[in-house]
Amino acid sequence: MHGNHPIKVFACEKSKPLAEKIVKVLNLELGKSDILHFSDGEFQPAYIESVRGCTVFIVQSTIPPTDNIMELLLMIDAARRASAHKVIAVMPYFGWARQDRKDRPRVSIGAKLVANLLAAAGCDRIMTCDLHADQIQGFFDFPVDHLYGRKVFIPYLRKAKIDDLSIAAPDMGGAKRANIYARYLNAPVIICHKTRARANVVNSITAIGEVKDRNIVIIDDMIDTAGTLCKAADVLKEMGAKSVRACCTHPVLSGDAYERIDKSALTELIVTDTIPLTTDPSKPKEKIKVLSVADMFATIIDRVYNLEPISAEFDF
């Protein structure tokens, strides 16, 4: 407990599994809340215990995006109206992050709009992981704790002791992220160049770098339909790669993603639990390995709550 402001951690519906892991690490109990559902689809979250004077952490990844961001906003508003001292949104996956700029005429900048909505609801701070673009932090006028999936991926890859390792970026935009992994793992970098026919549809992929007889790990912040990743894996195998793995922080996995991964050249897909995998037993998951970010978020929550520095959490 810090001062006169007790800590309480709550979860929205879709992120309860991760929130339960986080509170276990913190040696706390998950706060009690409930949702009243109306027949037309409207819903109203409520806290079943007092949050007056508390520092409230609300865990919610916004996937699927629309209902989940609204639930989070309502939870923030409810905490504010119940006289919480501070309200901090823990958003392991920040949805709408692909809309970070006007890349064609007459489109919205969804990431900035979500930042404005969180501020309007009364959010004091946000914690998130592997934003699609680092500069989204600048959309907020309050503190952003931006964590990195490499904190769990790099120890896993080191432990795997993969010979002839190369790190690949799935596109030009991912080159910086891949280069950081390559530096920590002392491995060369491969850059994949892709062209798109339209959103979620890849036209062609080519790879720049030494591919033949290498064990390649593709690094990305998220995997949605898995079209780009699976096509890149197939191309790299055709170019002579010994094996292709991938580390993707956020397993959105929409549409036929599970089936694509199962049929692809990927040896393994390593993801985190920022988004829970589907519970549908018909969806193949044999190639998917899930690493938890619970310890990472618990550490940051504890340090922020106790007014301790967090910079050490970004180094290895």
Side-chain angles (χ1 to χ4, degrees):
M1 184 181 292
H2 171 69
N4 298 317
H5 307 294
I7 183 174
K8 290 199 175 182
V9 180
F10 294 87
C12 296
E13 281 193 324
K14 296 293 185 183
S15 292
K16 278 187 178 175
L18 176 56
E20 284 167 354
K21 293 178 190 174
I22 290 171
V23 295
K24 187 175 181 181
V25 176
L26 291 168
N27 199 25
L28 297 171
E29 288 188 8
L30 192 62
K32 295 179 176 64
S33 60
D34 196 10
I35 287 192
L36 172 64
H37 288 274
F38 297 92
S39 62
D40 65 347
E42 185 180 330
F43 52 87
Q44 184 182 46
Y47 295 96
I48 303 175
E49 58 187 86
S50 174
V51 296
R52 183 179 297 274
C54 296
T55 299
V56 174
F57 293 85
I58 306 168
V59 183
Q60 175 73 315
S61 285
T62 55
I63 177 71
T66 311
D67 283 356
N68 287 356
I69 186 64
M70 194 65 200
E71 184 184 356
L72 176 60
L73 293 170
L74 291 170
M75 287 282 281
I76 293 168
D77 183 69
R80 270 275 169 246
R81 294 177 188 279
S83 302
H85 170 62
K86 281 192 177 179
V87 185
I88 299 170
V90 182
M91 301 174 70
Y93 170 67
F94 181 84
W96 311 94
R98 284 171 284 188
Q99 300 180 42
D100 62 324
R101 64 197 184 283
K102 282 188 71 174
D103 54 355
R104 54 196 175 93
R106 298 175 295 281
V107 296
S108 64
I109 303 179
K112 173 57 178 168
L113 176 59
V114 171
N116 290 346
L117 289 170
L118 288 164
C123 188
D124 292 294
R125 188 184 197 105
I126 179 178
M127 297 177 176
T128 189
C129 182
D130 276 347
L131 287 167
H132 191 62
D134 286 352
Q135 61 267 26
I136 290 172
Q137 296 172 73
F139 291 172
F140 296 88
D141 293 323
F142 49 78
V144 177
D145 300 310
H146 185 207
L147 312 183
Y148 296 96
R150 62 175 180 258
K151 187 77 175 180
V152 295
F153 288 134
I154 288 177
Y156 178 84
L157 293 172
R158 280 177 175 165
K159 192 174 180 181
K161 295 181 179 177
I162 302 167
D163 295 327
D164 302 317
L165 175 65
S166 288
I167 301 298
D171 52 35
M172 296 295 187
K176 180 182 176 183
R177 184 182 291 109
N179 192 54
I180 292 169
Y181 277 76
R183 191 170 74 245
Y184 281 117
L185 294 165
N186 194 27
V189 176
I190 296 165
I191 306 294
C192 297
H193 174 64
K194 69 182 178 186
T195 58
R196 286 194 184 275
R198 58 184 184 278
N200 289 133
V201 179
V202 177
N203 191 23
S204 66
I205 291 181
T206 55
I208 305 164
E210 187 181 344
V211 174
K212 189 172 175 57
D213 296 328
R214 305 295 295 181
N215 290 306
I216 298 170
V217 178
I218 302 171
I219 305 296
D220 211 350
D221 64 305
M222 63 182 292
I223 175 170
D224 189 353
T225 63
T228 298
L229 184 66
C230 292
K231 192 158 189 173
D234 294 342
V235 166
L236 291 168
K237 280 291 283 184
E238 288 168 9
M239 292 177 68
K242 284 198 284 189
S243 70
V244 183
R245 294 173 176 82
C247 290
C248 299
T249 308
H250 308 299
V252 177
L253 299 176
S254 63
D256 297 326
Y258 285 92
E259 290 78 10
R260 284 196 185 100
I261 292 161
D262 192 56
K263 294 173 183 175
S264 74
L266 284 170
T267 301
E268 183 180 33
L269 170 64
I270 310 146
V271 300
T272 75
D273 55 355
T274 58
I275 300 169
L277 298 184
T278 181
T279 55
D280 185 349
S282 68
K283 297 287 187 182
K285 308 181 192 74
E286 289 76 14
K287 290 185 177 183
I288 303 175
K289 168 73 175 177
V290 180
L291 306 178
S292 183
V293 292
D295 284 358
M296 183 169 70
F297 273 98
T299 299
I300 298 298
I301 287 171
D302 182 64
R303 287 179 178 273
V304 166
Y305 175 66
N306 289 298
L307 307 181
E308 295 174 358
I310 63 172
S311 55
E313 292 306 306
F314 298 96
D315 298 322
F316 289 93

